[in-house]
Amino acid sequence: MSIHHQIIALDVMGGDFGPEVVIPAAALALDDMSGKISYIFFGDENRIKPLLGKYKVLEGISEIHHTSGIVTNDEKPSVAIRRKDTSLRLAIEAVKEGRAQSIVSAGNTGALMATAKLVLRCLPGIKRPALASVLPTRQGDTVMLDLGANLVCDAQMLVQFAVLGSVYARVVKGIDTPRVGILNVGSEDMKGPDLVREAASILTNIVFPGDYYGFVEGDDLAEGLVDVVVTDGFTGNIALKVAEGVSKLTSHYMKEAFLSSLPAKMGAVLAGCALKKVKKRMDPRYYNGGMFLGLDGICVKSHGGMDVYGVSRAILVAAHLVEQGYNSEVAHEIALVMNQQSNGIEPEGVIA
Amino acid sequence: MSIHHQIIALDVMGGDFGPEVVIPAAALALDDMSGKISYIFFGDENRIKPLLGKYKVLEGISEIHHTSGIVTNDEKPSVAIRRKDTSLRLAIEAVKEGRAQSIVSAGNTGALMATAKLVLRCLPGIKRPALASVLPTRQGDTVMLDLGANLVCDAQMLVQFAVLGSVYARVVKGIDTPRVGILNVGSEDMKGPDLVREAASILTNIVFPGDYYGFVEGDDLAEGLVDVVVTDGFTGNIALKVAEGVSKLTSHYMKEAFLSSLPAKMGAVLAGCALKKVKKRMDPRYYNGGMFLGLDGICVKSHGGMDVYGVSRAILVAAHLVEQGYNSEVAHEIALVMNQQSNGIEPEGVIA
């Protein structure tokens, strides 16, 4: 099931820059989705209106929902979820009430997660939503989850993350039989903690019989051995940030090296074009847009410090999830998995 | 307490290449430690003798202990620990019996760990030994543990790892007050799973009062924010391998970029010298040598695929741990910590 026209609820007050970045980003996203999306902007209309005047492409497809409350970056989620007048809360409610098909925010991650879970609830059968993102690898890209929404997981949660990720790779990326792997300390079956081996056993025997890839190690992530990498939120968050850190450190070393001598500087100028391509391939802005998968509604988080291009990428992530009918596909497959697990029967490869 | 002359037990049969790499590595390590170390080579004397003839520097400081059994890379640790004739086992026993002060092996990690634990046992008060290694960062280097010896940890184990790492940074690296951090999903006190927060509370209030750094995130690792990074073996192993993977992927992209056009190729030639320095700074061979800290004896693991230079680095890791009297320092500090914890008293900064 795909949706031809959709409305995106944008929390324009979240993030480090607010409407001054989110509104231009909404305009930029139309380059890819013109005619397919409309917006409701949730936030301070005194700041939104003048900006809208600058972007003719937003004319006729934008509605402003004035809100007075703002969730700050350091606000505790337990406090934020009780406030009903915030741009974050009201944007999520628009999805709950069917006035929008997705919500995008660059605001406080914990508050967004907690409020989205409270208002939208999980899809039937899902224990907890997972935070997922797409990461660059040597062979294209890979979806990884959980990245920090659930620090401690049980085997059943890892199995559900595998289904959530697999449906993403199938319906949004168009991969017929996604390769799904669980992150572990070795690739052999007997390696790793009990809960990881238990999840692997359920995936092998019940959920993806014949099609489950197996365990992947930390270095397989950048290699892109699989289309979906499943792990708990503690390990996933740390793995993602380690990757960012090493990537930044390498760039820093390279810059230092190219500035270290006159020949090196000349070399950098000559190789400039090629080096720009490397930078583009690993551009964190391109990969911006964390998806809370498993909620009964599409909710996407942009990194708070992103620029216009970065936020536009997060908006496109939400738009593609809605366009491809991600949630209805996932609800269908989760129901099948639950049925198979409770019956203990061998399914006929319905989840591929 | 420092030791002026020491004997290293070398398991020359371990690793992908055996004596043909380990013996030249032993010779190379003398460049840094000549006059300070002697060797006992454990392995097949028919392979060792001809090699020794080639390295005059090893004359007079080398003893051969002929062994017939070899632990293969795919042998299960539970099987390997029952075999008493292997080079790995007999080299470890030399440390137990005081004929050597340390053992270095490039062999099967699981077998080495299990046998070393069985033969050497843990230092008094230590629950489980940890696998530690030194990693490159923007600000020098950092010791990280555990890297895979203990997949599931409790708070007490993390606290002990912090002491093991802190003593390493102090006595081997010469840092007066090492900054110790626990790896977590955020730097704020309330972030993370219970066990991580419990360990942090013990470190703050009892073990390093006034000197405990706090939580560090995945990207702080490459930044080198702290001298010691503490985590469980599951997360540590994955973080280390993610870092290796991203580093390799970046090199791959760079190589591709420099070969992509004639100007880029010329640029690479001009910048060649500077680029070599970057490569050297991140050379995994330089950082080779995993230390099993917490055992009652020094045991170091070289990566199995390392070349002569790489293995020589692992030998030097063992030599420095012995030279600086790491184990007696750590035994002293662990006893103090246990005493403080059982008394619940505020110590006077004895562990810094």
Side-chain angles (χ1 to χ4, degrees):
Chain A
M1 184 183 72
S2 67
I3 290 169
H4 298 297
H5 191 91
Q6 56 175 295
I7 300 167
I8 299 177
L10 277 180
D11 164 21
V12 303
M13 307 309 281
D16 301 349
F17 312 108
E20 286 72 18
V21 161
V22 181
I23 306 278
L28 182 60
L30 293 173
D31 288 355
D32 282 34
M33 298 291 282
S34 185
K36 295 181 177 176
I37 51 180
S38 307
Y39 297 109
I40 312 176
F41 298 113
F42 290 81
D44 180 352
E45 64 181 352
N46 293 324
R47 285 174 68 188
I48 298 171
K49 266 189 184 157
L51 286 161
L52 278 186
K54 291 188 190 167
Y55 297 94
K56 297 286 169 211
V57 286
L58 293 173
E59 241 176 47
I61 61 159
S62 302
E63 189 184 311
I64 301 174
H65 184 129
H66 175 73
T67 59
S68 52
I70 296 175
V71 177
T72 57
N73 278 339
D74 52 4
E75 193 164 322
K76 278 193 179 175
S78 55
V79 175
I81 55 167
R82 271 181 257 133
R83 295 172 57 208
K84 304 207 165 168
D85 65 338
T86 65
S87 56
L88 186 146
R89 168 76 176 242
L90 291 162
I92 295 171
E93 281 180 356
V95 177
K96 175 74 183 174
E97 291 156 11
R99 287 180 287 123
Q101 280 73 56
S102 67
I103 138 90
V104 179
S105 172
N108 182 321
T109 311
L112 180 63
M113 165 74 178
T115 312
K117 211 178 146 228
L118 177 79
V119 173
L120 299 173
R121 309 248 163 220
C122 288
L123 284 166
I126 294 280
K127 283 178 82 164
R128 294 284 304 267
L131 182 55
S133 195
V134 173
L135 310 173
T137 74
R138 193 185 290 231
Q139 302 176 46
D141 47 34
T142 291
V143 61
M144 181 164 164
L145 68 173
D146 179 29
L147 297 176
N150 310 280
L151 300 186
V152 181
C153 294
D154 60 25
Q156 196 59 44
M157 286 162 78
L158 294 184
V159 168
Q160 295 190 347
F161 298 168
V163 176
L164 293 170
S166 169
V167 175
Y168 174 86
R170 191 163 53 75
V171 308
V172 182
K173 308 282 296 176
I175 300 165
D176 280 345
T177 310
R179 294 160 301 173
V180 178
I182 298 183
L183 198 56
N184 198 1
V185 296
S187 56
E188 302 86 351
D189 286 349
M190 84 284 188
K191 285 277 177 81
D194 289 349
L195 89 117
V196 157
R197 282 182 287 117
E198 188 187 335
S201 159
I202 299 171
L203 291 177
T204 307
N205 298 311
I206 301 180
V207 181
F208 306 113
D211 284 331
Y212 168 63
Y213 182 88
F215 291 135
V216 290
E217 299 187 61
D219 46 347
D220 298 331
L221 230 132
E223 283 296 318
L225 271 198
V226 288
D227 304 301
V228 182
V229 175
V230 173
T231 190
D232 63 89
F234 186 75
T235 312
N237 180 282
I238 287 169
L240 179 74
K241 286 185 181 163
V242 163
E244 285 172 7
V246 172
S247 189
K248 260 196 258 171
L249 179 64
T250 315
S251 307
H252 167 81
Y253 281 163
M254 296 298 298
K255 258 186 216 158
E256 245 184 27
F258 282 126
L259 290 171
S260 65
S261 69
L262 188 61
K265 277 181 202 167
M266 288 166 61
V269 172
L270 281 168
C273 239
L275 293 174
K276 261 185 207 150
K277 270 185 214 155
V278 174
K279 213 175 160 189
K280 201 176 164 190
R281 274 173 103 165
M282 302 187 88
D283 187 351
R285 300 178 310 159
Y286 182 83
Y287 292 95
N288 183 38
M291 309 170 273
F292 288 110
L293 300 182
L295 288 171
D296 192 5
I298 300 295
C299 178
V300 170
K301 164 78 175 72
S302 162
H303 192 290
M306 279 288 159
D307 63 4
V308 170
Y309 174 70
V311 176
S312 81
R313 293 293 310 171
I315 293 171
L316 290 173
V317 166
H320 291 142
L321 285 169
V322 173
E323 190 179 38
Q324 308 297 337
Y326 173 81
N327 262 16
S328 58
E329 291 279 341
V330 110
H332 176 68
E333 305 232 341
I334 284 288
L336 280 173
V337 169
M338 284 171 64
N339 199 28
Q340 285 148 16
Q341 281 192 280
S342 62
N343 293 342
I345 54 159
E346 290 284 325
E348 295 178 67
V350 274
I351 293 157
Chain B
M1 185 185 73
S2 65
I3 290 171
H4 297 296
H5 191 91
Q6 54 174 296
I7 299 167
I8 299 176
L10 277 180
D11 164 22
V12 303
M13 307 308 280
D16 300 348
F17 311 109
E20 286 71 18
V21 161
V22 181
I23 305 279
L28 182 60
L30 293 173
D31 287 355
D32 283 34
M33 297 293 280
S34 185
K36 294 181 180 176
I37 49 180
S38 308
Y39 295 111
I40 312 178
F41 298 114
F42 290 80
D44 181 351
E45 65 182 351
N46 293 324
R47 285 175 69 187
I48 299 171
K49 266 190 184 155
L51 287 160
L52 278 187
K54 290 188 190 168
Y55 296 93
K56 295 288 167 210
V57 286
L58 293 173
E59 240 176 48
I61 62 159
S62 303
E63 190 185 311
I64 301 174
H65 184 127
H66 175 73
T67 59
S68 51
I70 296 175
V71 177
T72 57
N73 278 340
D74 53 3
E75 193 163 323
K76 279 195 178 175
S78 54
V79 175
I81 54 168
R82 272 182 255 134
R83 295 173 57 207
K84 303 205 166 166
D85 65 337
T86 64
S87 56
L88 185 147
R89 169 77 176 242
L90 291 162
I92 295 171
E93 281 181 355
V95 176
K96 176 71 182 175
E97 291 157 11
R99 287 179 288 122
Q101 279 73 56
S102 67
I103 136 91
V104 179
S105 173
N108 181 322
T109 312
L112 180 63
M113 165 73 177
T115 311
K117 210 179 145 229
L118 178 78
V119 174
L120 299 174
R121 308 246 165 222
C122 288
L123 284 166
I126 293 282
K127 282 179 83 165
R128 294 284 305 265
L131 182 55
S133 196
V134 173
L135 310 173
T137 75
R138 193 185 290 230
Q139 301 176 46
D141 47 34
T142 291
V143 61
M144 181 164 166
L145 69 173
D146 178 28
L147 297 176
N150 310 281
L151 301 186
V152 180
C153 294
D154 60 24
Q156 198 59 45
M157 286 163 78
L158 295 183
V159 168
Q160 295 190 347
F161 298 168
V163 176
L164 292 170
S166 170
V167 175
Y168 174 86
R170 190 163 53 74
V171 307
V172 183
K173 308 282 295 176
I175 300 164
D176 281 346
T177 310
R179 296 160 300 174
V180 178
I182 297 184
L183 198 55
N184 198 0
V185 296
S187 55
E188 302 87 351
D189 287 349
M190 85 283 188
K191 286 277 178 82
D194 290 347
L195 89 117
V196 157
R197 282 183 286 116
E198 189 187 334
S201 159
I202 299 172
L203 291 177
T204 307
N205 298 312
I206 302 180
V207 182
F208 307 113
D211 285 331
Y212 168 63
Y213 182 88
F215 291 135
V216 290
E217 299 188 62
D219 46 347
D220 299 330
L221 229 133
E223 284 295 319
L225 271 198
V226 288
D227 304 301
V228 182
V229 175
V230 173
T231 189
D232 64 88
F234 186 76
T235 312
N237 180 282
I238 287 169
L240 179 74
K241 286 186 181 162
V242 164
E244 285 172 5
V246 173
S247 189
K248 260 196 256 172
L249 180 64
T250 315
S251 306
H252 167 81
Y253 281 162
M254 296 298 298
K255 259 186 215 158
E256 244 183 29
F258 282 126
L259 291 170
S260 65
S261 70
L262 189 60
K265 278 182 202 168
M266 288 165 65
V269 172
L270 281 167
C273 239
L275 293 175
K276 262 185 207 150
K277 271 184 213 154
V278 174
K279 214 177 159 187
K280 201 177 165 189
R281 273 173 104 165
M282 302 188 88
D283 187 350
R285 299 178 309 159
Y286 182 84
Y287 293 94
N288 182 38
M291 308 170 274
F292 287 110
L293 300 182
L295 287 172
D296 192 4
I298 299 297
C299 178
V300 170
K301 165 77 173 76
S302 162
H303 192 291
M306 280 288 158
D307 63 5
V308 170
Y309 174 71
V311 175
S312 81
R313 293 293 310 170
I315 294 171
L316 290 174
V317 167
H320 291 141
L321 285 169
V322 172
E323 189 179 38
Q324 308 297 337
Y326 173 80
N327 262 16
S328 57
E329 291 279 343
V330 110
H332 176 70
E333 305 231 344
I334 284 287
L336 281 172
V337 170
M338 284 172 63
N339 199 29
Q340 285 148 18
Q341 280 192 282
S342 62
N343 292 343
I345 54 161
E346 289 285 323
E348 296 178 68
V350 275
I351 293 158

